Amino acid sequence: MSWQIPRVAVAVDLAVLTVRNDRLQILLVERAIKPFRGMFALPGGFLASKEEDLEVAAARELAEETGLEPRPLHLEQMRTYGAPDRDPRGRVLTVCYLAVVPNLPLPVPGGDARAARWTPVDAVLNSEVAMAFDHREIIADAVERARSKLEYTTLGAAFCAAPFTISELRHVYETVWGHKLDSRNFHRKITSVDGFLVSTGERTKRDGGRPAALYRPGGARLMHPPILRSAGSSPWAG
Amino acid sequence: MSWQIPRVAVAVDLAVLTVRNDRLQILLVERAIKPFRGMFALPGGFLASKEEDLEVAAARELAEETGLEPRPLHLEQMRTYGAPDRDPRGRVLTVCYLAVVPNLPLPVPGGDARAARWTPVDAVLNSEVAMAFDHREIIADAVERARSKLEYTTLGAAFCAAPFTISELRHVYETVWGHKLDSRNFHRKITSVDGFLVSTGERTKRDGGRPAALYRPGGARLMHPPILRSAGSSPWAG
DNA sequence: TGAATAGTGTCTATTAGACAATATAAG
DNA sequence: CTTATATTGTCTAATAGACACTATTCA
């Protein structure tokens, strides 16, 4: 079976999203080598060996390129990009993964990690950042996937470091969707979804204002019925 | 860039779904060659050349293996499967596509087409059919994807040959979801979604019963708000 | 006390689901 | 007419969204 079958290089790329400074941001690396040198790209790389599993490669790249540990709360395969001309070096298929992480300290360049930086997705989608390959379209897909999944899954919790408050979770929704939500209706809705949040019994110590209850993610992955983003929202002011 | 990068064989597989004889069915081919010979598999195959686009390969395989023409109303990339041991011949990555087609005449084997047959997905998922590779899991993913997409997209129309009636569309929903829907509420809901259906002005000639209005698919791809499958349904009797 | 944030209660417009009633065909 | 299917209408329970109000902290 190995005679005339074409074999292609396979890469794994990561769209790592977080909410940081009131903006949805994505982790980018500056390319140090030739095609698109000096431009920005998604962290990723070729399979380490012919036997490496895709998910393993994705987790490895995330750690290698960014120093991010422990593993993200959420890592899912998104889509495979395979246009014949997407890489000037030749045919490269890239299997893209969507990762969602809390607002972590910026990884320090050096060592194994390349220079990785958080960049607001708006800047990328508005073409204010020079992107390598077809990575701008990939990022657009990733953002839309994340926005959509907030509606009907518990993905939002993956943006929050546990334990977190309902306000923090709402802030994630508002930032990713780009518009304000009513805090009281959001509170009622979220707490009514079975298995989304588990109360820790603890409360925040605030500097003014009533302390908020702290939660960690529950086991539920799907939210039913969903929170739909289109209806009943005020325009974003932040 | 071509020195130590591992290169792998890339295949494209198709999960082609239709509604036929009141059941959700999938197109399978019987394997004529060695790994898993005599077992059933999804139609598909390796990239024809190192330059072939993935979507093009998917469309080509569909025509080649099944004789199905013209192209399906719906063809979308679903997921890439890449477990290192999923193919005993060596590392093979398969990019899977979900296709949805109307109830077409069974393709005739012979010529370019291999022996392809429609098989109820229940039989596959209940392990009543011997499946090659990891194709049973792929089919489970495809079925879940289709069930889910009926909720919030206009995918259901892709199961119907235009022009079609609202009853035919409802029958698709009932068959894919496995439970009855209220015909009157369904009618009201579907016709209220802007761009889902376009009336042709024609009506069916029935053999008893009021003639039904005929529609063709509108341009809309998303349905908002969605029709959720969990709520308010009577158990399936057919 | 006042400012700030968390959380609960209430009202209303909309929607989903059950189901009655009417419309239009074939025998 | 009866049977069969399509389509419209009506009622009701549940839900989403707006928003008043209470609760609990800090200064």
Side-chain angles (χ1 to χ4, degrees), chain A residues 63-190:
Chain A
E64 241 179 60
E65 301 242 22
T66 69
L68 287 179
E69 290 286 4
R71 82 187 58 76
L73 292 177
H74 183 88
L75 179 64
E76 65 167 295
Q77 189 186 306
M78 189 174 76
R79 194 193 154 93
T80 297
Y81 297 82
D85 58 349
R86 61 177 296 281
D87 191 315
R89 295 167 294 185
R91 190 74 195 275
V92 177
L93 220 71
T94 187
V95 184
C96 286
Y97 283 78
L98 170 65
V100 169
V101 298
N103 184 2
L104 298 167
L106 195 66
V108 180
D112 264 357
R114 285 203 244 158
R117 64 185 65 185
W118 293 110
T119 307
V121 296
D122 305 321
V124 174
L125 300 182
N126 295 338
S127 301
E128 296 165 21
V129 180
M131 295 298 303
F133 308 105
D134 50 2
H135 287 191
R136 191 188 319 286
E137 296 100 276
I138 296 176
I139 291 169
D141 290 348
V143 169
E144 176 48 33
R145 168 84 64 120
R147 285 183 174 145
S148 172
K149 282 215 157 187
L150 286 195
E151 292 190 316
Y152 62 94
T153 75
T154 59
L155 175 62
F159 285 94
C160 300
F164 55 87
T165 68
I166 290 181
S167 284
E168 288 165 4
L169 182 59
R170 176 169 49 82
H171 184 250
V172 165
Y173 273 80
E174 292 177 337
T175 305
V176 176
W177 283 350
H179 59 75
K180 289 264 182 208
L181 299 172
D182 185 278
S183 63
R184 299 151 299 183
N185 292 336
F186 182 83
H187 189 287
R188 181 157 38 86
K189 172 72 185 183
I190 286 292

Side-chain angles (χ1 to χ4, degrees), chain B residues 90-124:
Chain B
R91 189 77 194 272
V92 176
L93 220 71
T94 188
V95 184
C96 286
Y97 282 78
L98 171 65
V100 169
V101 299
N103 183 1
L104 299 167
L106 195 67
V108 180
D112 263 357
R114 284 203 244 156
R117 67 185 63 186
W118 293 110
T119 307
V121 295
D122 305 320
V124 174

